[in-house]
Amino acid sequence: MNDSSDSLLDFLERSPTPWHATANMAERLETAGFRRLEEMRSWQLSPGDRIYVTRNDSSLIACRLPESPLTALRLVGAHTDSPGLRLKPNPEQTSAGWLQLGVEVYGGALLAPWFDRDLALAGRVHMRKPSGEIASVLLDTRRPVAIIPSLAIHLDREVNNGRAINPQTQMAPVFMQYGQEGDFERLLKGWIEEQHAIKDATPLSFELALYDTQPPARVGVAGELIASARLDNLLSCFIGLEALLASDRSQGALLVANDHEEVGSASAGGAQGPFLSDVLRRINAQVGESGEEGFVRLIQSSRLISCDNAHALHPNFTDKHDAQHGPAINGGPVIKVNANQRYATTSATAAMFSELCREADVPVQRFVTRADMACGSTIGPITAAELGVPTLDVGIPQWGMHSIRETAGSQDAEQLIRVLTLFFNRARLD
């Protein structure tokens, strides 16, 4: 194991929500000398600049401009969100002498693994300070404050024969004994004071999620595996950022980490929204060939690698894969292909990535879903459709995608970092 693996585990543990992940990425960028830009202000850009910008505090774009005129960009895309349980606006509910929290399911979460876990709360809170100022803060209880207890097998003898889970009636986390109306707001105010030294704040709204407090870990006799929450897709955010920071500044390099991929990407900060296009147009207007024709030339000269984890061959369910396309954990990055454009890979972009892997001395794998199964998707096809940029989809193989705890290989992240660093440094993209 290396320093990169230690940094990955630390990033995963400190990023329980998209807002925390974005803040941690921004902190890393600023430490490396990147300058933060605000979308509502005028930008002054020069060749060689290192910049980043966020939207909704949960999506981020970082760009390293070349010293020479900007004619092409090497783009890497990922997403900051993961499936899970989010609190409803009025979460307090009581039953059998307990205060519970009303939740809704965010994205396509596996529900069964959420039972009997030590759950903390984290996210973003907007408040009114005693001065009258409206402000937002990040919140993280860091310790378990809730649990969703299972029903004993003695009271449901058929549970192991398969039972549907109702998230409305069966998944309200137990939060506090003998809860009273207003207890949750009181606790919010106390956490804001404790974590941000702001007294007598009035919470106005929040976006809070539950998360498992079990820390990320290396698993396996030889540490072959990494087990953690939110590997899909914070693993790709970490890999893309590491590669960007390791690049040699010779070429135009950009990392985009969108929010809301797990719910369709249709938001201001999602891949279907205008965030990336807005930033690219402003960059091109100042350091590229101005005008609409210049922008189209820039996009068509660029390439996007969309990074989102792939389904590794599961030793207990080998029949769930096509016999010729079962990626192995620690077997290298995976090119994801779908004839119906659920992935954006073309033969041209796949060839480019295969060559990058060969040059980096990294093995490469391919994934195609079974012909009798539905295929998921990524930000790749959406971004390609919005911008027209030539794109491919790749990912690290993993097990348990969308579970509260997922599993990936401890070697694959470092391999993909090497390939993406080479991509960012590469002079020719054809």
Side-chain angles (χ1 to χ4, degrees):
M1 306 307 295
N2 51 40
D3 292 340
S4 179
S5 296
D6 291 334
S7 297
L8 170 60
L9 298 183
D10 179 65
F11 174 68
L12 292 168
E13 186 169 10
R14 293 189 302 112
S15 303
T17 72
W19 300 279
H20 288 83
T22 300
N24 289 328
M25 294 170 72
E27 180 182 13
R28 183 80 192 281
L29 287 163
E30 291 194 358
T31 300
F34 281 68
R35 173 169 57 98
R36 180 171 188 143
L37 300 176
E38 301 293 340
E39 288 195 275
M40 68 288 295
R41 296 183 179 176
S42 176
W43 292 3
Q44 301 297 323
L45 303 178
S46 302
D49 273 356
R50 290 172 292 168
I51 59 169
Y52 79 94
V53 60
T54 66
R55 182 173 285 188
N56 189 48
D57 299 327
S58 61
S59 298
L60 177 144
I61 293 174
C63 185
R64 174 172 273 163
L65 299 175
E67 296 289 352
S68 55
L70 179 64
T71 58
L73 281 167
R74 294 114 187 98
L75 302 100
V76 168
H79 65 88
T80 59
D81 61 322
S82 303
L85 301 181
R86 301 276 180 100
L87 261 60
K88 294 181 177 180
N90 300 316
E92 292 176 276
Q93 57 189 61
T94 57
S95 179
W98 287 92
L99 175 66
Q100 294 176 277
L101 300 175
V103 297
E104 59 178 331
V105 180
Y106 178 88
L110 280 170
L111 297 182
W114 281 83
F115 286 81
D116 305 318
R117 296 278 184 163
D118 300 339
L119 302 176
L121 269 176
R124 180 173 68 165
V125 179
H126 278 78
M127 62 182 176
R128 183 176 62 249
K129 294 181 177 180
S131 64
E133 177 191 358
I134 306 298
S136 68
V137 292
L138 294 182
L139 195 70
D140 184 359
T141 66
R142 299 186 183 89
R143 65 178 183 86
V145 296
I147 194 168
I148 306 171
S150 293
L151 182 65
I153 193 171
H154 312 78
L155 304 179
D156 185 1
R157 292 291 185 179
E158 298 301 312
V159 65
N160 288 330
N161 295 328
R163 173 172 59 83
I165 298 172
N166 187 318
Q168 174 68 25
T169 62
Q170 298 172 336
M171 293 196 68
V174 173
F175 186 62
M176 181 187 296
Q177 196 164 22
Y178 304 114
Q180 300 296 320
E181 192 75 21
D183 277 345
F184 185 69
E185 181 173 329
R186 176 178 56 81
L187 286 168
L188 271 184
K189 295 176 71 169
W191 288 328
I192 291 171
E193 180 176 349
E194 175 187 332
Q195 296 182 26
H196 298 282
I198 302 174
K199 294 184 178 181
D200 300 321
T202 302
L204 301 175
S205 61
F206 56 78
E207 295 165 282
L208 294 172
L210 292 153
Y211 74 93
D212 185 9
T213 57
Q214 183 179 1
R218 300 186 183 100
V219 178
V221 173
E224 304 99 323
L225 301 170
I226 291 175
S228 174
R230 303 175 298 281
L231 291 181
D232 175 22
N233 190 31
L234 293 188
L235 184 53
S236 298
C237 291
F238 175 84
I239 289 169
L241 182 59
E242 288 293 304
L244 179 66
L245 296 179
S247 62
D248 63 11
R249 307 190 190 187
S250 61
Q251 310 298 327
L254 184 145
L255 170 68
V256 54
N258 291 114
D259 195 3
H260 300 134
E261 188 274 346
E262 299 292 358
V263 292
S265 295
S267 70
Q272 194 174 336
F275 185 31
L276 180 57
S277 177
D278 287 348
V279 172
L280 289 176
R281 289 181 184 279
R282 295 179 77 168
I283 289 173
N284 187 65
Q286 293 204 25
V287 296
E289 181 183 345
S290 61
E292 187 62 23
E293 181 174 342
F295 181 72
V296 172
R297 285 164 57 88
L298 171 67
I299 295 302
Q300 292 306 309
S301 299
S302 301
R303 298 293 183 273
L304 167 66
I305 298 179
S306 166
C307 294
D308 203 345
N309 295 356
H311 299 293
L313 183 64
H314 196 301
N316 296 335
F317 301 93
T318 56
D319 61 322
K320 294 298 183 180
H321 278 74
D322 181 274
Q324 304 302 315
H325 301 91
I329 280 183
N330 289 321
V334 180
I335 298 174
K336 300 156 72 173
V337 178
N338 181 259
N340 295 300
Q341 289 299 291
R342 300 295 287 170
Y343 302 132
T345 305
T346 67
S347 58
T349 55
M352 178 195 73
F353 189 79
S354 297
E355 276 297 288
L356 289 169
C357 290
R358 184 188 63 79
E359 293 175 28
D361 195 24
V362 166
V364 62
Q365 307 182 84
R366 286 168 174 79
F367 172 78
V368 181
T369 193
R370 285 176 56 110
D372 56 358
M373 293 177 65
C375 179
S377 192
T378 71
I379 67 166
I382 297 172
T383 307
E386 291 292 323
L387 282 180
V389 61
T391 302
L392 81 153
D393 276 287
V394 304
I396 294 299
Q398 72 159 93
W399 295 322
M401 191 176 291
H402 290 195
S403 176
I404 196 171
R405 194 163 181 86
E406 302 167 322
T407 309
S410 57
Q411 301 173 27
D412 286 322
E414 186 63 33
Q415 292 178 327
L416 186 51
I417 290 172
R418 284 161 51 193
V419 177
L420 294 185
T421 302
L422 181 61
F423 171 64
F424 280 139
N425 293 342
R426 188 167 181 151
R428 293 179 59 89
L429 294 177
D430 53 11

